[in-house]
Amino acid sequence: MAKLDETRPFIPVGIAVLTVSDTRILADDRSGDTLVARIAEAGHRLAARAIVKDDVAAIRAQVEAWTRDETIDVVITTGGTGFTGRDVTPEALEPIFEKRMDGFSEVFHRISYDKIGTSTIQSRATGGVLNATFIFVLPGSPGACKDAWDGILKAQLDYRHMPCNFVEIMPRLDEHLKRSTG
């Protein structure tokens, strides 16, 4: 059963928050604010924050830049996961994942189902890894951001969470790049 091992130290990680929206600005970005508050409350470091339009190239460029920044361990996006014509965040990011995290989507939908029922199928939340950086793609509602953080990310981004967590495997995310080809 999952537990917190208090004998292990808490290790803060650098997290970037990207809001994807054609209409929001920082002053009214409630979903981004929800994530920023939870990141700080958990003891992590907000490494960057931005808002980009619902545009595949813009989303991809920002996330790729952040995954090359050594101070950023995790990128969380909010917005653009629905089915309307402007919802393109999964299209922007899934093709560049080195590894896809199917379990993130499955657990997110399980948590969401308990709160909003079958409406959860209208989200294409996803996750993956690029350049040794975890990427989580969340819907644009504060409730969805709360569900993802409180139900998944808070525990998985805590080194003390047992039996395993994302923090303890971060140093190994790029080991495939370090293997000898000879």
Side-chain angles (χ1 to χ4, degrees):
M1 214 44 209
K3 65 177 174 143
L4 208 59
D5 183 348
E6 298 289 350
T7 66
R8 297 177 93 175
F10 177 79
I11 300 174
V13 298
I15 303 173
V17 174
L18 179 65
T19 299
V20 177
S21 175
D22 287 337
T23 59
R24 291 187 195 156
I25 59 173
L26 280 177
D28 65 2
D29 180 17
R30 291 181 34 235
S31 296
D33 289 345
T34 296
L35 290 167
V36 168
R38 280 170 160 67
I39 289 164
E41 181 181 296
H44 296 295
R45 180 178 48 80
L46 180 66
R49 183 175 181 185
I51 297 179
V52 298
K53 301 283 184 199
D54 292 276
D55 175 79
V56 169
I59 296 165
R60 188 175 291 167
Q62 182 62 75
V63 170
E64 285 180 325
W66 280 346
T67 66
R68 289 188 298 271
D69 183 333
E70 292 186 11
T71 67
I72 296 174
D73 303 298
V74 177
V75 173
I76 303 173
T77 72
T78 175
T81 66
F83 288 99
T84 71
R86 298 294 296 154
D87 292 323
V88 295
T89 308
E91 286 78 9
L93 299 178
E94 285 181 332
I96 62 172
F97 288 165
E98 294 165 351
K99 296 196 177 189
R100 191 176 151 132
M101 191 183 308
D102 294 328
F104 175 78
S105 179
E106 293 166 7
V107 173
F108 173 81
H109 284 294
R110 165 67 174 77
I111 292 166
S112 182
Y113 182 82
D114 289 344
K115 305 226 174 144
I116 63 170
T118 59
S119 294
T120 190
I121 66 172
Q122 293 190 34
S123 165
R124 297 178 299 138
T126 188
V129 177
L130 175 64
N131 296 328
T133 305
F134 286 108
I135 301 167
F136 302 100
V137 178
L138 309 180
S141 74
C145 291
K146 288 176 191 175
D147 291 346
W149 183 269
D150 297 348
I152 305 169
L153 298 175
K154 180 179 179 184
Q156 281 298 299
L157 294 175
D158 190 332
Y159 179 68
R160 302 167 299 170
H161 179 79
M162 301 305 285
C164 56
N165 59 75
F166 291 142
V167 178
E168 66 190 353
I169 63 171
M170 283 179 178
R172 298 181 55 209
L173 291 177
D174 63 353
E175 67 188 4
H176 64 289
L177 301 174
K178 298 174 184 174
R179 292 190 187 126
S180 172
T181 58

